[in-house]
Every structure is written in structure tokens, then in C-alpha cells.
Amino acid sequence: MTSSQPLSQKPYIRTRENPYFDGLLVKDGALTDDSSNHDFGRISDVQKILKSTSEISGSGRKNIDLDTSEKSMESPLDDSVPSLMRPVLEKSYKVMRKRTSLPNIPLPQSAASFYNGHSPRMEIVESCENINRLNLFLKSKRDEVDAGVPGRFLHAVIGQDVSDVGSVASAIMYAYYLNETLGNDQFCTVPVINTKRAELNSHAELKWLLDSCEIDQSSLIFIDEIDLSYYDLFGSLKLVLLNGSKLPSKQEALKESVIEIFNCKKGESVYPSVEKVTVGQECSSCTLIAEMFAMTSPEILAAQGFSRLLLAGILLDTGNLSSSDSTTKDKYMATLLLNGAGRFGCNGLYQILRYKLYDVSDLRVAEILGKDFKKWTRVVKLENGGSRMVSHVGMSSIGISVEQLLAHGDASTREIKLFRKMEKLGLLMIVSGYYDEEKNFKREILVSTESVEVMKKLLLFNSNASQLPLKALHQPGLGEEMSAFEIDKVTPRKTIERFLEEFGGTSTSVPSRPKQHHQHE
């Protein structure tokens, strides 16, 4: 170099001057000087902004709306190259504290985590116009239902009596799709979540997803908040049934109101009143709905919150696209919805949902047992050979050890017995599947029966069938009507289900999570 000044002492001079870059600066504000431009966006500065806002309002979590609108810039090039003039584009962002921390979740590496860190306390979220429209739709329909839907048909989109992510997401999104495309003023199209609102508290993965997508949960309609039989009685009910050709047994009386079935298996018989049937081709219902949006208005899927809701359903329905149920169409639509994964990536989003799925730290024992529950009817012949009595056998699957379940509260054993009595079960089998500290998979079983005789019959049946390699697991304070066992070999849940079907009789209810895949199924 010809200059005598050392390179390390040579001052840096920014020479790139272009009117377009003026839009990156905030006029008439503190950000027009160089020091502010260098420092803006750091976590420390955002915290200062948050602190000042907190001192003014005194509330908890704070949202900060930043004026970062992008607009077309006036430039000397505008007259000479009019075809390159940028259209008016306005986007708004907000910086906010994380709603929930995710420090214990082993998130996989992603490009976003390289720049932003694994668990930043702040995140910048783009306001989603499509989510705002969806929330307006949900609120307006909730208001109409509260008013009784006068002079119109109640066009309810409802799934099976489950509360997994795929079922809830598909009910919400398909109802929204029908509302946007049908154009029938005689229909009040609403999604109905086929579970009680109180049960939402036991599904941390669903609550986290709805929060992260900014869905207004107060506008959702749960099955205990609407009387469908009332509308059916007066002939004003039109049902759209998701994920199956038959209504749950407790809602079978509404079958004459079913006019559409969405995502059923090929060849399944349907009700005579059904006018339209969509065969699912074994893929996730969220995949089919995303495909329909992609065909009609693909731009709506570009929004992160909108696409995350559908993507989460696909990932859980297909075991992160790795299960035997996963189809080519599932994988294609998951790729199209990739923006919904955000900084976590698809693998990271799936890991968060799975972690939340098994997170029971804030749940009561009854809520843990009810998360994944199945029931069978058992017909028992009396000793005198005269009449018969009906008993019920149930199975709850949990993701923690039996010891952790029993230590969940001082009255854990009493709550287990109470849950069995509330479900009118003669036998409740709690199936535990978890990984120990050495990352080895463990399978344990806790059995609660209504009498000592039922316990003896179960053990005798198992010894004759030689299906479950049970090994007694010492747990103090269980009593004679409750026993814990360890299974030496890794026994799939399906094997245990078949065992209970043979012992208990005919299945009378569907699993609470029909397609969400678990390891060692």
C-alpha cells in the first residue's frame, strides 16, 4: 500500500450511499447516528426498551411494536427506470419476551440457532394478517353461536372425540377453508373441538402450539360449550365429520345430520345422509387441508403462524415424517409449510411438541392418566352360570416411570383408584415407557383392580398366555389391589393392547391419540 499510515490505524469510512438504504434508518430519531446503527438490535438494547416500558405500565409480559415499516423509496432512479420501482410494502414487527422457556428440550442444530442462539429471551415476530383474519373468523362465529344462529343452519366441523394436535388443527383450518370457499349465506360454519375445554389444560403441546401461532383460544368452541342435539332437534344442524366415517358412540344420535365426511379410508361405509366424501389416501388430514389451500390461495400458507398449525399436525400424525403411515404427499406438503417451523426447523418443532406431549410437571395424576387412555368392555360370566355382568378394562399410557407417577403427589395411589372408579373400570393398566439416565428404554406396568380376585385372574391369564414377561417391581404402600411390574424385554404397546383385548373383551372407545406416534409402538 502507498499510504504510510498502518492498516490497523486506517479509519473505516462507509462509502455506500444510496437513497434506498435511507429507509433502513429512522428519521429524526436516535438511530440516525452511527453508534445507534451498530448497536440497535442487540438483546441488551431491547431489554432497555422493555425495562422502560415495564416501568411505565407495570404489567407482566410486554410487547413492543417497532416502526420497521418497509415502503417504496423516492430515488433519482425512479424517473429513469420506472419498471424497477418497488411496490408499497408494509410489514410490522414486534419484539417480545418468550412466553415459555425451552431449556430442557434437546433441540437439533439449525442455521437460525447459529445466529440467534438456542433459547433467546427475546424474539422478533412478524405480525400475521392471515392469523388476524382467522381469529376474526373464530370470534365472529363464536358470537353467532352464542346468539343461537338465528335463521341459519349450524354447519359444524367436528372430529373424533380426541384432543390431539392433528384433530384440533384440522377442525379449525377446514372450517375456515369452507367458510372462505362455500359462499353459502345460509350456513354458519364453525369448528367444534370434540373435547371439553377443561381437558385442554392436560395437553401442554396443544396449548403451546396455539399460543405460538397466536390463536385466540377464548374464541374456540368446545363440545361442552354447545348443544348440538338442540340444533339437530329442530333440523338446523349440518355436520362435517373429520378423520373417520362414523361419529363417536356418544354422538351417534346425530348421524342423520352428517352431510360431509372428510378424510376417511377407501371403502368405508358412510351414513345415507352424506353428500360428499373425501378419501384420505392414508395421509394426514392436515396434509389434505394444506393441499386445498395451496390450490386455491397459496399465499395464505406463507404466513408463519398459519403454516405452523398445519405443519405441527402433519409432523405429529406421521412421527416426524418417519413412520410407516407417512406418505409422499405428507412430505411434500411439510416442505411447502417449512416456514411454519421458524427458527426451530422441522426437527426442532417436532422435538418441542414431543417434549410438551410428555411434560406432566404441571398436571394432576388424573390428567396424566387421561392424556392417552383407552377402554374395553369385558363380559364376565357368574359362577352360578345364570346371568352375566359387564366390566370395563382400561389402559393409560404415560411417558414417565411408575416411581415418578407415584411420587407426583402425596395422594397418588388414591387418585389412581379414584380415576379407575370414575371411569367405572374393573381393571386399570398404566403402561409406562421412558428412557433412564443411560438412555435405555424402560417399560413398566402399574395395575389397579377393583378387587383382589380380579388381580389374581389377570396374573393367571398372563401365565397361561405367556405374553407379558412381567417381573415384580417393589413399590411400598400399594396394597393388594395395586401391583407394579417391570417388563424385561421391550414390549410394544400394541402387544399390551392385544393382551387386554383378549382379557377384557371388545374395544368400546378409540385411543385419545389415534395417529400420534410413540417410540416402541
Side-chain angles (χ1 to χ4, degrees):
M1 298 181 64
T2 58
S3 174
S4 60
Q5 187 177 15
L7 181 62
S8 60
Q9 299 179 6
K10 204 173 176 70
Y12 170 75
I13 301 176
R14 181 188 178 109
T15 58
R16 181 171 61 178
E17 297 293 342
N18 188 299
Y20 172 73
F21 292 98
D22 292 342
L24 300 179
L25 307 180
V26 178
K27 301 299 183 183
D28 301 324
L31 299 181
T32 56
D33 63 343
D34 291 340
S35 61
S36 296
N37 286 331
H38 291 312
D39 293 339
F40 182 68
R42 293 181 182 173
I43 294 298
S44 59
D45 292 302
V46 178
Q47 288 175 329
K48 292 177 182 177
I49 300 173
L50 274 168
K51 181 178 180 182
S52 62
T53 308
S54 177
E55 291 172 350
I56 295 173
S57 61
S59 58
R61 180 175 59 84
K62 304 301 176 188
N63 292 345
I64 305 172
D65 293 327
L66 300 181
D67 183 11
T68 56
S69 301
E70 301 176 6
K71 298 184 179 180
S72 59
M73 312 302 171
E74 294 184 3
S75 168
L77 298 175
D78 290 347
D79 295 333
S80 59
V81 193
S83 61
L84 298 180
M85 182 176 179
R86 293 172 59 86
V88 175
L89 177 64
E90 294 189 2
K91 294 182 180 179
S92 61
Y93 300 83
K94 58 185 177 182
V95 179
M96 64 186 194
R97 288 189 180 273
K98 283 285 195 180
R99 285 188 176 91
T100 57
S101 60
L102 308 171
N104 298 323
I105 305 177
L107 295 178
Q109 289 288 344
S110 66
S113 66
F114 176 81
Y115 291 103
N116 296 330
H118 290 286
S119 184
R121 287 173 291 176
M122 306 291 175
E123 62 179 343
I124 299 178
V125 181
E126 179 182 345
S127 295
C128 178
E129 179 184 353
N130 294 325
I131 285 293
N132 293 337
R133 287 176 56 191
L134 176 60
N135 282 328
L136 287 174
F137 157 75
L138 294 173
K139 186 179 186 308
S140 64
K141 299 307 177 182
R142 172 89 199 203
D143 291 342
E144 288 189 57
V145 169
D146 290 343
V149 197
R152 304 172 71 190
F153 288 103
L154 178 66
H155 190 218
V157 179
I158 190 170
Q160 302 298 322
D161 52 348
V162 295
S163 51
D164 63 296
V165 166
S167 298
V168 174
S170 57
I172 295 173
M173 302 304 271
Y174 192 54
Y176 183 64
Y177 173 82
L178 292 177
N179 183 76
E180 295 293 303
T181 57
L182 281 181
N184 190 339
D185 294 335
Q186 295 299 312
F187 280 2
C188 174
T189 305
V190 298
V192 177
I193 312 302
N194 204 355
T195 188
K196 297 179 180 180
R197 179 177 287 273
E199 294 182 4
L200 183 63
N201 295 327
S202 63
H203 295 277
E205 77 288 354
L206 186 54
K207 285 182 67 66
W208 178 86
L209 179 64
L210 294 174
D211 282 337
S212 68
C213 295
E214 300 190 350
I215 300 295
D216 180 12
Q217 298 177 34
S218 65
S219 296
L220 295 176
I221 301 175
F222 291 80
I223 193 64
D224 58 328
E225 298 173 337
I226 186 171
D227 187 359
L228 295 179
S229 60
Y230 171 82
Y231 296 93
D232 179 63
L233 178 63
F234 291 97
S236 59
L237 178 64
K238 304 291 183 182
L239 281 181
V240 178
L241 179 59
L242 303 176
N243 302 322
S245 60
K246 301 295 181 182
L247 284 164
S249 56
K250 59 186 177 183
Q251 295 160 344
E252 185 72 17
L254 305 176
K255 62 183 181 181
E256 293 183 2
S257 295
V258 179
I259 63 170
E260 180 182 351
I261 291 178
F262 183 83
N263 193 24
C264 69
K265 295 181 180 179
K266 187 176 181 180
E268 286 186 336
S269 60
V270 298
Y271 301 122
S273 58
V274 174
E275 302 170 2
K276 180 181 178 182
V277 177
T278 302
V279 178
Q281 302 172 355
E282 301 301 326
C283 60
S284 168
S285 58
C286 290
T287 295
L288 298 178
I289 297 169
E291 183 182 35
M292 299 171 79
F293 276 114
M295 296 294 291
T296 56
S297 51
E299 70 281 354
I300 204 171
L301 298 178
Q304 188 174 93
F306 204 90
S307 56
R308 177 173 292 184
L309 197 59
L310 291 169
L311 177 61
I314 295 174
L315 294 179
L316 284 181
D317 282 348
T318 62
N320 200 20
L321 305 174
S322 63
S323 71
S324 57
D325 293 331
S326 178
T327 66
T328 302
K329 186 175 289 187
D330 289 320
K331 297 173 183 177
Y332 175 79
M333 295 312 302
T335 304
L336 190 64
L337 299 169
L338 189 60
N339 184 47
R343 62 181 297 273
F344 307 113
C346 271
N347 290 334
L349 178 61
Y350 178 71
Q351 291 300 329
I352 292 173
L353 292 169
R354 273 185 57 82
Y355 176 86
K356 293 289 184 180
L357 186 65
Y358 295 112
D359 181 18
V360 296
S361 56
D362 296 329
L363 302 184
R364 295 180 290 106
V365 170
E367 293 173 331
I368 297 174
L369 300 179
K371 279 174 67 69
D372 196 341
F373 175 70
K374 190 172 185 177
K375 184 188 294 186
W376 292 267
T377 299
R378 179 174 179 243
V379 178
V380 182
K381 293 182 179 180
L382 299 180
E383 293 181 357
N384 56 19
S387 58
R388 297 185 302 175
M389 59 180 257
V390 176
S391 179
H392 296 291
V393 176
M395 186 182 91
S396 290
S397 298
I398 61 175
I400 58 177
S401 68
V402 169
E403 182 180 8
Q404 288 176 303
L405 177 67
L406 294 175
H408 202 75
D410 296 335
S412 294
T413 54
R414 183 171 58 84
E415 291 189 44
I416 292 172
K417 293 178 182 179
L418 182 60
F419 178 84
R420 175 177 54 78
K421 292 179 180 179
M422 290 291 292
E423 293 292 338
K424 300 178 180 179
L425 301 176
L427 181 147
L428 171 64
M429 181 175 287
I430 303 170
V431 179
S432 164
Y434 68 100
Y435 287 90
D436 61 14
E437 295 179 355
E438 286 76 30
K439 305 300 181 183
N440 297 318
F441 185 78
K442 299 287 187 180
R443 177 73 81 196
E444 296 174 349
I445 288 177
L446 179 65
V447 180
S448 174
T449 59
E450 62 182 353
S451 64
V452 178
E453 288 73 19
V454 176
M455 179 70 73
K456 291 180 179 179
K457 289 180 180 179
L458 175 70
L459 297 178
L460 179 62
F461 179 82
N462 183 64
S463 63
N464 293 335
S466 299
Q467 291 193 33
L468 302 180
L470 301 180
K471 178 183 177 181
L473 185 65
H474 178 67
Q475 290 291 337
L478 293 183
E480 295 182 342
E481 298 173 356
M482 191 177 294
S483 299
F485 303 93
E486 180 181 0
I487 300 183
D488 292 336
K489 296 188 298 184
V490 178
T491 304
R493 287 200 319 161
K494 291 186 182 298
T495 300
I496 301 175
E497 287 184 16
R498 286 194 296 268
F499 171 83
L500 284 178
E501 286 176 358
E502 294 175 7
F503 177 77
T506 306
S507 175
T508 60
S509 66
V510 297
S512 63
R513 300 182 184 278
K515 285 197 71 177
Q516 290 188 5
H517 295 268
H518 305 261
Q519 291 178 326
H520 300 280
E521 287 285 345

